[in-house]
Every structure is written in structure tokens, then in C-alpha cells.
Amino acid sequence: MQFANPTYLWLLLLLLPMFAWHIWGRREAMLTVATTAPHEGRWTWLIVLRHIPFVLRLIAVVLTIIILARPQTSSPQSERETQGINIMMCMDISVSMLTQDLQPNRIEAAKQVAVEFISGRENDNIGLTLFGGEAFTQCPLTTDHSALLSMFRQVSCDLQRQGIISDGTAIGMGLTNAVSRLSLINSPSKVVILLTDGANNSGDISPLMAAEIARKQGIRVYTISVGRQGKVKMPVAILPNGEYYYQWVESDADPATLKQIAESTGGLYYAADTKAKLRAIYDDIDKLEKTKLKVRHYSRRFEAYEPYAKAALLCLLLEFLLSITLLRRLPQ
């Protein structure tokens, strides 16, 4: 336990004059009688118990001072080393990810497999970057995987469909965003898992320029091209009722650029046209060399005055009840 205002504890020194006044400062009337023999041995316990109200008052004062000092409890703060890697997951959320060549569609299949991957890596430091025509950090690097998974499950293509982010696929911007997050981490094991289904057609930074930035930062990039090659049934328009209109079009995936990104940074390129292949890819990434991570758990403080307040009120109540009943003094 600790105190937010420990200076108030100096008030405990007031107990000394209170105690002295109780012992030496009281002047009670006395009655002189010829002999006290008839009264010897009677009611002696009352003589001792008459000090109980003062003791209760003293305890109440002590408890009140403790309350003023604001007692607090805290969850423990610790720091430990564990085996893990720093991973930024960089996912394409352009409308083309709604293509249904993976069930139920590309983005949902990618999310399901990624959630399984995250759930089995409790020691990894993982973050999430999303990109369409522009990129943003959905979740910074964290070991709080429950919070990360909660954000991950909310990922959808609605941001682009509703015009919140611009149209297109900005692979270079997405990779740069993920690299910028990892560059803040002082660790030899830093990885980006870049998942997309198309070619870069938007953004101010090209994919190869972003790859060069990653290489200079010592960040490996593993690229995943998701979806089938050739003719695919892709959403090309939104109907008045809000549903997508699908049409058979040629896939615009760019595996050559994704291979260059992976090779230049020391990573690997993968192609996944089924959910099973996606799982195999993440299992392969799991075999990456692990390094020690220092994980710090911060403490949280909680106010702990309530039991002291209840005890103080109880002492005052007992003092009052004893003073007007069992230990009530007769007028002198």
C-alpha cells in the first residue's frame, strides 16, 4: 500500500497531546467518605472500561488521518524478458478484397487466418496497418492481443466503399506506415507481413522505395499475394440497394513487385489462392528467428480509503453508544 498525500501522516503527532490530556489533564470531582471498604472489589471493571470511548476516538482519529493521506493499492509493476518478434501486419482493405474466390471473400479469409496467427503468438509484439488509396495505423505495436484482436475483427472494406479513404491500392504508403512504426523499436527482429491482392496504383511513395527504407532499417518484409490469378469475379460497382455488382475481370495482382520487395529486405514472397495456403504461410513465418523482448507491465493505482472510512465511522458509533449507555457518567 502507498499514500498519495503522505504529508498528512504528520498529523499522527497530534495523538501525543490527546493522550497526555486524557491521562493528566482530567480533573474529576471526588467524594470523601469515612471508609471505602463496603465498595472494594465492586464495579472495578467499569473503571477499566471507562477508557474505551477514548480509545475508540483515538482509533477514529488515526483512521481519519490515514484517509486524508489517501491510501492506494496498485497492481504489480514488472518487467520480464521473453521470446518473440516484432511484427507489423500490413493489410489491403481496398474494395477488390471483397472478391469471393476465397470463402467467404478475400478480406474475411485473410482476417480469420491472421486472427488464428495472432492468438497463437502471445509473446509477439504485433501491430496493424491498413491501406487502400491511403494508409493508417489501426493498432500500434502491442502485446495486448485482446485489444489487437478486437480491432482486427472490425476491419472491413467499408472505409473505402463509404469514401472515408480514397480509392486505389497504395502498397508503398502502407509499407512505409508499417516500417515507421517498427523503426521506433530497438530490436534486431522486426518484420512486416504485407498482404494485398492488387498492384500499386496510388500514393506518393512507390513500393520499391518503401522497401528500400525497410532494408535500411533492418526490417524484413514478407509479402503475400492473396487471390487467384486470371479471371476473377470482382466487385466493380455499388447498386442502389447498397449491394455490390460483381463482374468477371482480369486480376491486377503484381507478383513481380511483391517478389522484389521481399528479396530486397531479406524476406520471402508467397502466393495464396486458398485459406489453407494462407495458414501454411503464417505457419512458415512462425519459424522466424526469435529474439528476446523486454515486456513491461505498468501498475495501476486504486483508492483504498473505503475500509478505513467504515472502520472510523464504526468506532465513533461505538463510542457514542457506550457513552450514553453502559459507560454513561453520572453528573458530578
Side-chain angles (χ1 to χ4, degrees):
M1 186 179 67
Q2 51 195 342
F3 296 95
N5 301 318
T7 308
Y8 282 100
L9 295 177
W10 287 102
L11 293 175
L12 292 173
L13 294 175
L14 295 175
L15 300 179
L16 296 176
M18 288 178 63
F19 188 78
W21 174 258
H22 180 75
I23 299 298
W24 294 294
R26 299 174 58 185
R27 294 291 183 268
E28 297 187 8
M30 298 180 66
L31 176 65
T32 302
V33 295
T35 177
T36 60
H39 304 281
E40 288 180 1
R42 298 182 60 189
W43 309 111
T44 54
W45 59 277
L46 285 178
I47 297 175
V48 177
L49 293 181
R50 68 177 183 173
H51 297 288
I52 286 182
F54 172 74
V55 173
L56 291 172
R57 190 182 317 133
L58 213 61
I59 293 173
V61 171
V62 171
L63 293 173
T64 302
I65 293 172
I66 291 175
I67 293 169
L68 290 174
R70 288 184 60 195
Q72 296 178 332
T73 58
S74 62
S75 57
Q77 180 173 345
S78 63
E79 191 174 90
R80 64 184 176 91
E81 286 189 342
T82 185
Q83 296 292 322
I85 53 179
N86 300 284
I87 302 174
M88 278 300 295
M89 306 188 75
C90 187
M91 181 174 287
D92 188 350
I93 57 168
S94 57
V95 172
S96 62
M97 288 289 287
L98 292 172
T99 303
Q100 297 174 350
D101 51 352
L102 276 74
Q103 292 301 318
N105 54 46
R106 291 174 178 176
I107 191 166
E108 289 301 322
K111 283 169 54 179
Q112 290 169 13
V113 176
V115 165
E116 294 170 7
F117 173 80
I118 295 169
S119 299
R121 278 76 182 177
E122 60 183 45
N123 291 329
D124 290 340
N125 204 17
I126 305 176
L128 176 62
T129 288
L130 302 177
F131 67 92
E134 52 192 295
F136 60 94
T137 301
Q138 177 76 355
C139 181
L141 286 161
T142 180
T143 54
D144 184 359
H145 291 176
S146 59
L148 172 63
L149 289 173
S150 176
M151 294 183 187
F152 214 109
R153 293 187 179 99
Q154 297 174 21
V155 172
S156 71
C157 299
D158 290 345
L159 292 177
Q160 193 172 78
R161 181 176 66 87
Q162 296 170 359
I164 298 175
I165 62 173
S166 58
D167 293 335
T169 303
I171 295 175
M173 297 296 290
L175 180 54
T176 302
N177 181 283
V179 167
S180 68
R181 289 291 178 175
L182 286 169
S183 64
L184 302 175
I185 302 296
N186 184 20
S187 171
S189 182
K190 294 183 282 190
V191 172
V192 174
I193 300 177
L194 172 64
L195 186 146
T196 183
D197 69 341
N200 186 80
N201 56 20
S202 182
D204 298 326
I205 301 176
S206 71
L208 296 182
M209 182 182 297
E212 179 63 17
I213 296 172
R215 186 189 66 79
K216 291 181 178 179
Q217 293 287 339
I219 299 171
R220 297 190 304 276
V221 182
Y222 291 79
T223 56
I224 303 174
S225 177
V226 63
R228 298 172 184 170
Q229 302 298 312
K231 292 277 187 179
V232 292
K233 197 174 182 181
M234 187 176 294
V236 295
I238 301 177
L239 299 174
N241 62 3
E243 296 180 356
Y244 284 99
Y245 174 72
Y246 289 83
Q247 187 173 352
W248 289 95
V249 298
E250 192 73 27
S251 173
D252 64 346
D254 185 7
T257 298
L258 295 180
K259 287 178 183 177
Q260 283 184 271
I261 293 172
E263 290 173 0
S264 66
T265 60
L268 294 171
Y269 163 76
Y270 299 94
D273 56 5
T274 66
K275 191 183 294 186
K277 285 187 178 180
L278 265 178
R279 287 195 177 94
I281 290 168
Y282 280 110
D283 288 340
D284 191 53
I285 293 173
D286 183 47
K287 299 173 184 176
L288 294 170
E289 178 184 358
K290 289 179 169 39
T291 186
K292 287 186 176 181
L293 293 177
K294 189 170 285 187
V295 180
R296 178 169 293 173
H297 298 277
Y298 294 94
S299 61
R300 294 180 60 190
R301 294 186 177 182
F302 306 92
E303 298 292 339
Y305 68 88
E306 187 174 345
Y308 297 97
K310 290 179 178 178
L313 289 174
L314 180 61
C315 288
L316 292 174
L317 180 61
L318 286 175
E319 179 197 359
F320 175 74
L321 291 176
L322 289 173
S323 297
I324 64 172
T325 56
L326 184 61
L327 302 178
R328 181 171 60 88
R329 292 181 180 178
L330 295 174
Q332 298 181 11

